[in-house]
Amino acid sequence: MKKILVLLLVVTLGAAYVNAQDQKTGSVGLVLTNSIAFAGIGGELFLGNLGLGATFTFLPIGGGGDMVIFYEPGAYARFYFGNPASAMYLMGGMSYFTAAGSSGDSGLSSFDGGILNINGGFGYNSMFGDNNATRFYIEVGPRYTSLVVDSDEEIYAGFFLHFALGFGATF
């Protein structure tokens, strides 16, 4: 996962350097979702009317040597109906919710399993301020959730609501 995030960062920065137009190349910022790991960071690369992005939300709980960290990395694509500076969009993507923890001096160990979320939906994106330097978006839609464990049988699967809110800077 770290390699994918580093690759996305390199591609985003490279596209920003090469792009000499006034249109924004990408954005980074704060992301809030309807997950236990509800707050984190996200980035998106704008390729015309298509946006490709990644998010990483987390929630650490504990103190001292005892800690549990809930985290949810994700990737998505957005299709904008017009200029991304002010447009409605369709979104599709996925995320994987899991946890890691430590107790005393045992070190950090991760949970072998998690929840796979396949998200869809629609939203609105707006860039504003001097030179459209600030970005705000909101999206809502269905989320298909499946519990992933080391088993041959499907334990649980169902539909829920997906919601995301983002605020950040463009480049």
Side-chain angles (χ1 to χ4, degrees), residues 73-160:
Y76 59 87
R78 291 184 174 127
F79 177 76
Y80 295 93
F81 298 110
N83 185 347
S86 179
M88 297 289 290
Y89 62 84
L90 289 177
M91 187 278 301
M94 61 185 285
S95 63
Y96 185 75
F97 175 79
T98 191
S102 69
S103 177
D105 294 331
S106 66
L108 194 64
S109 59
S110 62
F111 173 68
D112 188 23
I115 300 172
L116 177 66
N117 297 309
I118 300 173
N119 303 315
F122 64 94
Y124 179 73
N125 185 68
S126 177
M127 296 178 198
F128 54 92
D130 291 340
N131 195 23
N132 285 342
T134 305
R135 177 185 186 209
F136 171 80
Y137 68 88
I138 186 168
E139 64 191 32
V140 65
R143 166 180 281 180
Y144 178 75
T145 298
S146 177
L147 185 62
V148 178
V149 293
D150 194 15
S151 173
D152 290 338
E153 61 186 68
E154 186 172 312
I155 295 179
Y156 175 79
F159 285 93
F160 292 96

Side-chain angles (χ1 to χ4, degrees), residues 5-32:
L5 291 176
V6 168
L7 179 63
L8 180 64
L9 180 65
V10 168
V11 169
T12 302
L13 293 175
Y17 179 75
V18 171
N19 189 2
Q21 302 174 8
D22 288 338
Q23 185 175 353
K24 296 298 181 176
T25 305
S27 76
V28 293
L30 174 67
V31 177
L32 301 172

